[in-house]
Amino acid sequence: MVEAGSTLNGSLLREKLIDEWIVYLAPCILGDQGRGLFHLPGIERMADRFELTLKEVRQVGKDVRMRFRKDLN
């Protein structure tokens, strides 16, 4: 289990080292200067995207917890 920011998340995704992400979403607005979940330079077209599958959603206090899986084959 790793708690990571956008740079480490992007690197782990590119290197195919993580098969599941647990994301907590807080009910607040940060505007367009908030940091994303993944820093992925070079992703410019839809064909370059990584697809995740949403496996679970539940509310935890005021937050929403989402569990995603990535097929790394």
Side-chain angles (χ1 to χ4, degrees), residues 9-71:
N9 275 335
S11 295
L12 293 171
L13 179 62
R14 282 199 187 277
E15 296 299 321
K16 301 180 180 181
L17 294 174
I18 302 293
D19 60 354
E20 181 174 86
W21 281 269
I22 297 176
V23 177
Y24 286 86
L25 176 65
C28 61
I29 306 277
L30 295 176
D32 64 353
Q33 298 301 309
R35 296 201 65 190
L37 293 176
F38 300 94
H39 177 66
L40 294 166
I43 301 279
E44 298 176 5
R45 301 172 303 146
M46 287 297 286
D48 300 328
R49 72 187 182 271
F50 291 90
E51 291 198 21
L52 303 174
T53 302
L54 180 61
K55 302 303 278 186
E56 176 187 23
V57 177
R58 69 178 178 168
Q59 189 164 358
V60 178
K62 291 183 177 182
D63 297 343
V64 175
R65 178 185 186 264
M66 297 168 285
R67 186 170 60 94
F68 296 93
R69 301 256 329 152
K70 170 76 176 107
D71 181 9

